[in-house]
Amino acid sequence: MLVKNEINSYRRLPVTLYQIQTKFRDERRPRSGLLRGREFLMKDAYSFDASWEGLDRSYRAMYDAYHRIFERCGLTFRAVEADAGSIGGEGGTHEFMALADIGEDTIAVCSHCGYAANVEKATSMEDRFKSSESEIPVYEKIHTPGVQTIEQLTQHLQIRAIDVMKTLI
């Protein structure tokens, strides 16, 4: 209602609204021998843009800002794909995870391509292909005599290994 009453023209966009409030959790499962607190402080941000490109810029600006904040704090962290939950959304969402041996969440990380996701959101390469079968590349047989390693294959095909990984993701 707030946005509907305040923003009546695309000329007033983009706008990002922040909501900081105390939230409550009703879970009784102990973690690391401690019963979790039921109350915590949460900051949400909502971006309103005139175009998808504007939304991408706003999202990237917020993502980069959090990255800088956590780096300045000296945290060891990783941005991972996350489940948008009931809020939904068209694009990907991320959450920043402080890396620790103990904690509440587990993340899946690929050391080769940089993919990282909360295990609730993580998908395998097979899952990604199944969900977008129309995007599966047509495979063709390529004669590669004497090629035995990835390095030799990339040289033979005159491509970079990173390009091979990007096509798989």
Side-chain angles (χ1 to χ4, degrees):
M1 219 38 173
L2 174 68
V3 175
K4 179 181 175 184
N5 293 334
E6 294 295 323
I7 308 296
N8 53 17
S9 169
Y10 71 92
R11 292 184 184 107
R12 305 230 11 225
L13 300 175
V15 170
T16 301
L17 301 177
Y18 300 93
Q19 177 182 356
I20 301 171
Q21 67 180 4
T22 301
K23 297 221 177 176
F24 300 93
R25 170 186 302 138
D26 188 17
E27 297 178 25
R28 295 180 185 227
R29 54 188 179 135
R31 294 297 223 168
S32 303
L34 299 174
L35 195 58
R36 295 171 9 148
R38 298 179 68 181
E39 180 179 305
F40 59 100
L41 194 61
M42 177 78 135
K43 176 185 151 259
D44 296 306
Y46 304 93
S47 171
F48 298 87
D49 294 271
S51 67
W52 290 110
E53 294 80 17
L55 176 64
D56 290 342
R57 281 191 300 274
S58 292
Y59 188 87
R60 177 46 73 181
M62 184 74 64
Y63 181 96
D64 292 344
Y66 275 106
H67 214 277
R68 288 190 304 272
I69 290 167
F70 295 137
E71 281 180 341
R72 287 180 185 168
C73 290
L75 292 174
T76 303
F77 68 94
R78 183 179 289 265
V80 301
E81 290 183 13
D83 186 3
S86 61
I87 295 172
E90 292 287 322
T93 59
H94 292 89
E95 58 185 326
F96 287 84
M97 306 288 255
L99 302 179
D101 292 333
I102 61 168
E104 185 172 311
D105 286 317
T106 303
I107 61 174
V109 178
C110 176
S111 59
H112 296 289
C113 69
Y115 173 80
N118 187 311
V119 292
E120 295 168 355
K121 173 71 176 169
T123 59
S124 70
M125 298 297 265
E126 183 178 333
D127 291 340
R128 290 179 180 199
F129 281 126
K130 282 181 183 175
S131 66
S132 59
E133 288 190 18
S134 62
E135 298 176 17
I136 296 176
V138 176
Y139 292 100
E140 63 180 284
K141 290 185 177 183
I142 300 173
H143 187 60
T144 56
V147 173
Q148 296 180 353
T149 66
I150 295 295
E151 185 178 342
Q152 290 172 345
L153 179 64
T154 57
Q155 289 172 358
H156 178 77
L157 297 176
Q158 297 178 347
I159 59 174
R160 297 179 309 162
I162 191 73
D163 294 331
V164 173
M165 292 306 295
K166 285 180 184 177
T167 62
L168 295 175
I169 295 172

